[in-house]
Amino acid sequence: MNNKFIIASVILLSLTWVFLDDLVDDWGQIESAPDRLETFFYEDLWPPDWSVLEAEEWVDGTLHKPNGELCTESYEIFCSKAWTGMEITIKMAFISTLIGFIISVPLASLSANNLVPLPIAIPARIVLAGLRSLPSIIWALLFAIALGFGPLPGILAMTLYTIGYLGKLQYEAMEGIANAPLESAMAMGLTHSERLVHVVIPESSNDLLSQLMFMFEYNVRHGTVLGLVGAGGIGMYIDNYINPPFAYDKAFALLIVVFVVVVIIDLLSMFARSFVTEQGDVKRPKWWTVLLPAGFAADYYNKSKDSDSEESE
Amino acid sequence: MAKFGGINLSSSEEVLHKTEDSDSTSESGALELRNLSVGYADALISEINVSIVQGETIAILGSSGIGKTTLLRTIAGLIRPLEGEVIHDFPKRSGIGYIPQRLGLIRHSSVRSNVAIGARTRKPKWYPALFPLGSELNSDIDSALAELSIGEYAKTPVRILSGGQQRRVAIARALVQKPKLILADEFLGELDKENVDSIIQATKKLISETGSTLIMVEHHESRAYQIADRILRIKDGKIVEEVSQ
């Protein structure tokens, strides 16, 4: 570790401490925090109320979906708030992520300064910055005012934010690709769109896929927040439970469901990216490992990697 | 024939056609470097005056860091000359095939997709990037892959090929373009003799079929003599020797 790195680290940490001390007036807050958190956790959150995984039973004994439709599914869970809410949230996130990705890739290519001159890159970057400077909840609020409540304002909000956020990650990934393939393509006379489709996208595919899956995961997580402005999905149910009459244990159960979905998306991302990573760096996962908890999946790969290397020896 | 210390290295009568304006005449395939100085802030090589006829193979020799790659990049139009001109009438699209030192392959794409990038330049500029290439270009790709003995790896991602196989892919990509000029920067790398011989043989055959001019930067003198019609030696920022064979 060289001296410059140590000095820079010390300066940054000192600045962090100075800013923190400037912002926090009462350090005594921290002392009582564990007790208050413990009380809240055991009295309101724990144990999670797993009735959110069940259909609603009406007084006549029939089972219904949250929207009032009769439950005709083979398993009750498919009619539960957790399932139906998550289904809507995942659909919203899927649509927003995909449309956002399709729009952000060409915009990012117009922002990358190794692909276009600065007079084109700067306006494109300003557009992307504009789109992501408003958080998606503000976009959702604006669309909810314009269109009313429901999934559509949520989808539009997440799409706009996705374009701004993903576009920035993408142009940075594009700027990081090796120069040689681009130079060859330029010398050959390929057009901007040909360079984008046949050189830049494949060369940065690992990053683009990772960002795409991260954005999908982000949008699923953010679906829980967008529910607060009536954008529908699982967030709407969470919002209902954290408002009077409070049912934090049910909200907690729904948050655990969100967590499980996020972990599954992460594993899917690992699987998808395994197709574009250097062979040997990552062993391609089997499709069914997405069903394993993260720790088990890691154990599986470590063991099978060890056995592979023993065989090769 | 060898000239030492010469500046005007070739006034070959075989030069087909010279033009100041690359877009205004029919394509002759000739290339002229006139009073060329190349470099970044300071000139690395200067007073380059070379005329090259279509179909000629030129090898540029010189020690590392002397500016050979910079010269190649200048001819490719990737950087501006500090002084002088690169005069040719090659079409901007598909006119030049460029094999950089690091080959410039798309690591995550298949061998076939990499070679197809070269073939795509034979389609007009307006042809959509996502549209298929058509049967004629596809069969040209197949032929180039077969000629360079990489047909069996057509669907393999380039990143898992050996260094020699990757070099063959880069050559196939340039040749399938049918360019007027191929610029190759140490394209044989550190391959073993067997691989070098077979790549040189395949390259020579394909170049004779396409009639392309080849300018290659090489630091192995024996390889330069094996493949080139003319050898230019660079030393102390000047071309100091020309050998025709």
Side-chain angles (χ1 to χ4, degrees):
Chain A
M1 214 185 295
N2 63 34
N3 289 342
K4 281 180 189 167
F5 179 77
I6 294 169
I7 292 167
S9 304
V10 169
I11 291 172
L12 289 173
L13 286 172
S14 308
L15 269 178
T16 307
W17 176 252
V18 170
F19 291 156
L20 190 64
D21 195 46
D22 187 40
L23 293 172
V24 178
D25 294 325
D26 180 14
W27 285 102
Q29 286 173 308
I30 291 177
E31 279 176 37
S32 53
D35 290 340
R36 277 185 284 173
L37 204 60
E38 194 181 342
T39 310
F40 175 64
F41 186 79
Y42 285 112
E43 286 185 8
D44 295 314
L45 289 182
W46 194 260
D49 184 346
W50 293 111
S51 66
V52 293
L53 296 175
E54 295 163 7
E56 282 177 19
E57 191 176 347
W58 287 15
V59 282
D60 59 359
T62 53
L63 296 176
H64 289 261
K65 289 183 177 179
N67 62 3
E69 283 176 21
L70 193 67
C71 178
T72 52
E73 307 289 349
S74 345
Y75 295 99
E76 198 183 327
I77 192 173
F78 295 140
C79 299
S80 66
K81 279 184 177 169
W83 185 273
T84 52
M86 189 44 91
E87 192 183 338
I88 293 170
T89 297
I90 288 177
K91 282 179 183 167
M92 284 166 61
F94 181 82
I95 296 165
S96 313
T97 310
L98 198 65
I99 296 175
F101 180 80
I102 291 168
I103 299 171
S104 67
V105 167
L107 257 177
S109 80
L110 293 174
S111 309
N113 62 21
N114 57 343
L115 300 179
V116 293
L118 272 184
I120 297 175
I122 288 173
R125 283 176 186 218
I126 290 171
V127 171
L128 291 176
L131 288 172
R132 71 171 179 278
S133 50
L134 279 190
S136 47
I137 193 161
I138 305 292
W139 284 117
L141 198 63
L142 292 175
F143 284 118
I145 291 166
L147 302 165
F149 291 144
L152 189 59
I155 290 170
L156 290 171
M158 284 201 277
T159 304
L160 288 189
Y161 190 73
T162 299
I163 296 168
Y165 194 89
L166 209 49
K168 178 178 170 58
L169 296 176
Q170 286 168 343
Y171 76 67
E172 286 178 355
M174 289 174 183
E175 284 175 353
I177 66 169
N179 210 26
L182 263 184
E183 284 205 334
S184 303
M186 282 195 276
M188 285 181 202
L190 289 181
T191 60
H192 179 85
S193 59
E194 287 171 332
R195 291 204 298 270
L196 176 65
V197 172
H198 299 289
V199 178
V200 177
I201 291 179
E203 265 297 279
S204 48
S205 49
N206 185 18
D207 287 334
L208 295 185
L209 264 177
S210 159
Q211 291 156 2
L212 177 70
M213 295 302 285
F214 171 74
M215 203 65 220
F216 178 55
E217 179 206 302
Y218 177 91
N219 282 337
V220 168
R221 280 187 285 117
H222 225 65
T224 60
V225 181
L226 292 189
L228 304 181
V229 289
I234 201 165
M236 193 179 72
Y237 300 124
I238 293 173
D239 182 47
N240 289 343
Y241 291 140
I242 59 172
N243 280 308
F246 305 107
Y248 288 120
D249 49 355
K250 286 184 178 172
F252 188 47
L254 289 178
L255 287 173
I256 292 172
V257 171
V258 173
F259 170 73
V260 170
V261 170
V262 165
V263 170
I264 291 173
I265 295 171
D266 190 39
L267 292 169
L268 282 171
S269 168
M270 182 175 84
F271 177 67
R273 284 188 301 115
S274 71
F275 289 93
V276 288
T277 46
E278 299 290 336
Q279 197 188 38
D281 289 352
V282 176
K283 188 176 172 63
R284 181 165 300 161
K286 299 276 186 289
W287 69 268
W288 49 263
T289 57
V290 300
L291 304 172
L292 290 176
F296 285 94
D299 284 349
Y300 169 78
Y301 283 108
N302 291 337
K303 276 178 195 161
S304 55
K305 219 172 192 176
D306 292 345
S307 62
D308 283 357
S309 54
E310 277 167 24
E311 276 170 28
S312 63
E313 281 164 14
Chain B
M1 181 181 75
K3 293 177 184 174
F4 293 92
I7 300 300
N8 192 2
L9 288 161
S10 175
S11 56
S12 170
E13 289 169 11
E14 290 168 45
V15 174
L16 299 174
H17 188 82
K18 286 185 193 174
T19 172
E20 298 288 334
D21 178 3
S22 62
D23 293 328
S24 65
T25 60
S26 61
E27 295 161 20
S28 69
L31 169 75
E32 186 182 350
L33 311 179
R34 189 182 290 172
N35 293 322
L36 193 66
S37 286
V38 301
Y40 296 94
D42 300 313
L44 290 166
I45 312 174
S46 52
E47 296 174 46
I48 308 165
N49 286 287
V50 180
S51 296
I52 299 164
V53 294
Q54 184 180 358
E56 215 180 346
T57 299
I58 307 282
I60 300 170
L61 283 172
S63 50
S64 293
I66 205 165
K68 305 186 295 292
T69 296
T70 312
L71 172 59
L72 227 52
R73 294 181 76 222
T74 309
I75 298 171
L78 296 168
I79 48 176
R80 288 176 188 279
L82 294 178
E83 268 179 54
E85 293 166 295
V86 177
I87 302 164
H88 63 72
D89 55 4
F90 309 145
K92 280 183 184 162
R93 190 168 165 83
S94 86
I96 297 177
Y98 181 48
I99 308 173
Q101 212 166 4
R102 290 178 184 172
L103 304 180
L105 297 173
I106 320 301
R107 292 175 311 141
H108 302 309
S109 295
S110 68
V111 166
R112 192 183 177 81
S113 303
N114 269 278
V115 178
I117 293 173
R120 187 163 286 277
T121 60
R122 284 163 57 192
K123 287 280 184 192
K125 229 176 166 179
W126 49 262
Y127 191 75
L130 287 168
F131 277 27
L133 288 173
S135 54
E136 190 197 333
L137 290 180
N138 276 323
S139 90
D140 281 0
I141 295 170
D142 290 334
S143 310
L145 294 178
E147 198 66 53
L148 285 151
S149 315
I150 43 174
E152 61 185 295
Y153 304 109
K155 290 180 180 171
T156 311
V158 158
R159 66 174 187 266
I160 63 174
L161 297 182
S162 70
Q165 287 162 339
Q166 290 189 3
R167 282 172 200 285
R168 288 168 194 266
V169 178
I171 296 162
R173 183 185 61 183
L175 289 169
V176 83
Q177 246 183 280
K178 296 193 174 164
K180 293 282 176 192
L181 171 67
I182 298 173
L183 300 166
D185 194 350
E186 295 186 9
F187 77 121
L188 298 169
E190 294 303 326
L191 294 177
D192 55 84
K193 189 166 182 330
E194 197 183 327
N195 253 313
V196 167
D197 289 346
S198 98
I199 290 180
I200 287 179
Q201 231 168 15
T203 310
K204 270 182 165 175
K205 182 167 179 273
L206 287 166
I207 283 176
S208 68
E209 282 169 16
T210 56
S212 306
T213 303
L214 170 66
I215 301 180
M216 55 186 274
V217 160
E218 189 53 80
H219 63 268
H220 289 281
E221 204 155 331
S222 58
R223 287 178 189 172
Y225 279 94
Q226 198 178 345
I227 193 168
D229 302 321
R230 197 149 45 120
I231 292 147
L232 308 178
R233 191 183 300 278
I234 297 173
K235 198 178 173 188
D236 300 328
K238 298 271 192 305
I239 297 176
V240 292
E241 183 186 9
E242 177 195 10
V243 180
S244 296
Q245 50 172 17

